[in-house]
């Protein structure tokens, strides 16, 4: 059996890590609550259950019949998962004592509708829900998935007064996975061997950090795939558009995107609960990040038991910095219109 090292911590899955921070980051019997049992919320719960992302998982939704049915269906499969268990219902008390709350509740994007068009409806849902959640899970880290996730993060951070590291959006974690998949296929390497980030808004103004993208250690434009020619700037531009528009394509075909966001969210939860200090492009309210403040944008950030902290030293080419500012301007305008 694994013994905790004298200055280590026993994590929920029994692994030990050297303790470099205060023991506050120890999370035993970790609890995840997923708010919203729709296409996205049930997929987050399903991914977290299968991956063992948390010891206890709760699903909360105001639609009683729906949430109870989803919980039953998920629970019926737990013979075949690890030790995680699942409860849920339409009483917010199911979220009691959560370490992480992932919010997916809200209206979803309809075919042809932009994420920003959803903003007003979902901002009101979030505003009414957060005080209740904070009452039962005052120490949780809040991850917002509901769209438009960047704008909702700014409004939610302002409304709750939580430190920015404790309330952030899944942001472009999903978009980054889409980018790495496309590049990996084109380059003939595994997705995990692609080092690339989509940053900015989770939406129409998002963009890849091409200046630092590599396959292994090789800059993207220098990489020579075994089956095919090196990529060109034109091709990379097309790939960026494909990533940006990926959600529209999936929604057109099946009405929602759910599996990939389920997995992306489960990974964020794991980085928090296992105090991983993993680098992920989540969206936090920025403070003097390359001159940007008071707006939530995805940039590479360190995700741990303390939450998410943007990496200030992240390098941008002058063009990329211009695009980041464009993203910030677009989001600032939407947030301002919702504050009025
Ligand atoms: N950030 C991302 O990368 C990403 C990816 C995919 C989807 N999304 C977003 O996730 C959200 C959910 O999408 P979906 O397809 O699951 O929608 P859905 O309509 O299937 O589910 C939404 C659920 O929220 C519930 N809900 C509404 N108000 C509530 C409240 N006050 N309290 C608790 N539950 C409430 C509804 O009953 C419903 O079950 C959308 O905003 C969508 O745009 C984000």
């Amino acid at each position: 059996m694994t013994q905790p090292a004298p200055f280590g911590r026993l994590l929920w899955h029994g692994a030990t890590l050297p303790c470099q921070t205060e023991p506050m980051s120890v999370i035993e019997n970790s609890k995840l609550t997923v708010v919203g049992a729709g296409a996205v919320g049930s997929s987050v719960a399903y991914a977290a259950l299968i991956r063992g992302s948390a010891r206890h998982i709760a699903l909360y939704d105001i639609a009683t019949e729906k949430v109870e049915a989803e919980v039953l269906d998920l629970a019926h499969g737990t013979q075949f998962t690890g030790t995680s268990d699942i409860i849920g219902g339409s009483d917010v008390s199911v979220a009691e004592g959560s370490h992480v709350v992932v919010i997916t509740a809200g209206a979803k994007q309809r075919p042809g509708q932009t994420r920003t068009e959803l903003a007003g409806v979902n901002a009101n849902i979030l505003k009414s829900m957060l005080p209740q959640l904070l009452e039962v899970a005052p120490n949780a880290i809040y991850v917002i998935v509901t769209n438009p996730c960047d704008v909702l993060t700014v409004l939610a951070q302002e409304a709750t007064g939580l430190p920015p590291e404790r309330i952030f959006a899944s942001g472009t974690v999903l978009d980054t996975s889409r980018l790495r998949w496309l590049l990996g296929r084109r380059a003939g390497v595994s997705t995990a061997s692609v080092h690339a980030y989509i940053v900015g808004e989770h939406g129409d103004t998002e963009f890849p950090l091409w200046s630092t993208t590599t396959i292994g250690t090789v800059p993207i434009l220098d990489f020579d795939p075994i089956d095919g020619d090196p990529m060109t700037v034109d091709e990379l531009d097309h790939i960026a558009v494909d990533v940006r528009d990926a959600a529209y394509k999936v929604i057109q075909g099946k009405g929602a995107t759910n599996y990939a966001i389920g997995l992306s969210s489960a990974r964020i939860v794991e980085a928090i609960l296992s105090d991983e200090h993993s680098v992920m492009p989540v969206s936090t309210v920025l403070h003097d990040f390359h001159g940007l403040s008071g707006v939530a944008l995805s940039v590479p950030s360190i995700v741990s038991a303390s939450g998410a902290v943007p990496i200030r030293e992240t390098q941008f080419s002058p063009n990329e910095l211009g695009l980041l500012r464009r993203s910030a301007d677009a989001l600032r305008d939407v947030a301002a219109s919702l504050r009025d």
Side-chain angles (χ1 to χ4, degrees), residues 133 318 327:
L133 286 168
S327 237

Side-chain angles (χ1 to χ4, degrees), residues 56-337:
H56 305 292
I57 300 169
L59 194 55
Y60 164 67
D61 197 300
I62 46 170
T64 311
E65 224 179 325
K66 163 86 171 149
V67 66
E68 287 181 358
E70 291 291 359
V71 169
L72 266 184
D73 197 10
L74 289 162
H76 290 161
T78 50
Q79 178 190 339
F80 314 110
T81 60
T83 51
S84 303
D85 53 37
I86 175 123
I87 57 159
S90 54
D91 189 319
V92 76
S93 65
V94 297
E96 184 124 37
S98 298
H99 299 98
V100 183
V101 175
V102 173
I103 299 180
T104 76
K108 67 179 163 197
Q109 212 172 349
R110 291 192 303 274
Q113 185 184 38
T114 69
R115 291 186 179 101
T116 43
E117 283 163 357
L118 275 178
V121 181
N122 287 345
N124 285 336
I125 291 177
L126 208 63
K127 224 187 213 163
S128 67
M129 199 166 55
L130 276 168
Q132 301 168 45
L133 286 168
L134 277 166
E135 207 171 307
V136 294
N139 300 318
I141 287 176
Y142 286 82
V143 181
I144 298 174
V145 173
T146 306
N147 278 322
C149 61
D150 305 289
V151 171
L152 294 183
T153 295
V154 174
L155 299 176
Q157 195 272 324
E158 286 171 2
T160 57
L162 286 174
E165 61 270 22
R166 275 194 49 208
I167 186 156
F168 58 88
S170 55
T172 54
V173 172
L174 167 61
D175 317 68
T176 293
S177 175
R178 286 171 176 153
L179 175 70
R180 292 185 189 192
W181 173 69
L182 283 170
L183 291 176
R185 269 199 337 174
R186 173 63 173 84
V189 302
S190 70
T191 306
S193 304
V194 178
H195 307 289
Y197 289 89
I198 295 278
V199 297
E201 176 193 11
H202 168 63
D204 297 340
T205 65
E206 69 184 33
F207 62 96
L209 285 180
W210 289 131
S211 66
T212 47
T213 297
T214 62
I215 304 289
T217 62
V218 181
I220 186 78
L221 288 171
D222 295 342
F223 189 80
D224 200 357
I226 294 170
D227 297 325
D229 300 324
M231 287 171 249
T232 62
V233 171
D234 255 11
E235 188 178 359
L236 293 187
D237 285 346
H238 277 108
I239 289 175
V241 170
D242 280 352
V243 171
R244 187 196 67 197
D245 294 345
Y248 296 112
K249 198 169 171 186
V250 177
I251 291 168
Q252 196 70 45
K254 58 176 259 189
T257 63
N258 59 315
Y259 297 123
I261 183 59
L263 286 162
S264 309
S265 305
R267 265 303 292 134
I268 296 169
V269 169
E270 289 157 17
I272 297 167
L273 293 177
S274 295
D275 195 26
E276 283 181 17
H277 292 78
S278 285
V279 177
M280 296 177 161
V282 292
S283 175
T284 50
V285 179
L286 301 176
H287 178 67
D288 197 17
F289 182 90
H290 290 271
L292 295 169
S293 295
V295 62
L297 286 178
S298 289
V299 294
S301 306
I302 295 177
V303 182
S304 71
S306 316
V309 179
I311 300 175
R312 304 180 82 81
E313 312 83 273
T314 302
Q315 289 183 7
F316 294 82
S317 70
N319 180 46
E320 289 163 354
L321 208 48
L323 292 172
L324 192 70
R325 296 205 171 108
R326 188 178 70 128
S327 237
D329 290 343
L331 293 172
R332 234 185 240 115
D333 289 348
V334 182
S337 71

